[in-house]
Amino acid sequence: MKITRLDHFVLTTEHLDECLNFYSDVLGMNIDRNNNRYALRFGKQKINIHTRKAEFLPAARYPQCGSLDICLVIDEPIEAVYQELKSKGVALETGIVERNGAMGRMKSIYLRDPDGNLIELCMYEETD
C-alpha cells in the first residue's frame, strides 16, 4: 500500500457559525452545505464539520472540540499573510517563526480557530 495524499479530516465544533466564518472569511476556504452537513473545501482537500461528537458513524472514538493541531500550506508570501491576518484583527499565537515540515524548511504563523484548535499556516522556503 502507498498513501498518496490526505482527502479529508473531521473537525468537531461547538460553534458552527463562528467556525464556518473563521475558515471561510479568515482562511478563504469554501463552505459546502448539503443535507444538513457541512464541509470546508480548499485545493483538493476538505474538512468535514461535525457539530456534536459522533454525529455521523463510524466516528473517532473520542472526538473533542479544540483538540486539533493542523498545518496548512499557503502559496503566497508569509509576510503578506501575516499582514492580512493582522488587518482582519485575528489574534495570533506567534509572529513568523521558522519550522521544519514534511518537505523541509518553512516559515509559519500560528493562530486558533473559535474552538481553540491550533492552526499553523506555513510557506516553504525556496531551495536553490
Side-chain angles (χ1 to χ4, degrees), residues 85-97:
L85 294 170
K86 295 291 278 186
S87 73
K88 291 180 177 180
V90 175
L92 301 175
E93 293 288 311
T94 68
I96 299 170
V97 295

Side-chain angles (χ1 to χ4, degrees), residues 25-69:
D25 296 346
V26 175
L27 298 184
M29 295 181 186
N30 296 312
I31 300 172
D32 184 5
R33 293 177 175 96
N34 191 3
N35 295 325
N36 293 321
R37 292 185 180 206
Y38 298 89
L40 298 157
R41 295 185 178 276
F42 60 101
K44 295 180 180 179
Q45 293 75 227
K46 70 175 182 163
I47 303 171
N48 288 338
I49 304 297
H50 291 186
T51 57
R52 61 186 183 279
K53 297 175 182 179
E55 182 173 6
F56 302 103
L57 298 175
R61 185 163 290 152
Y62 306 110
Q64 296 292 319
C65 297
S67 65
L68 294 177
D69 183 339

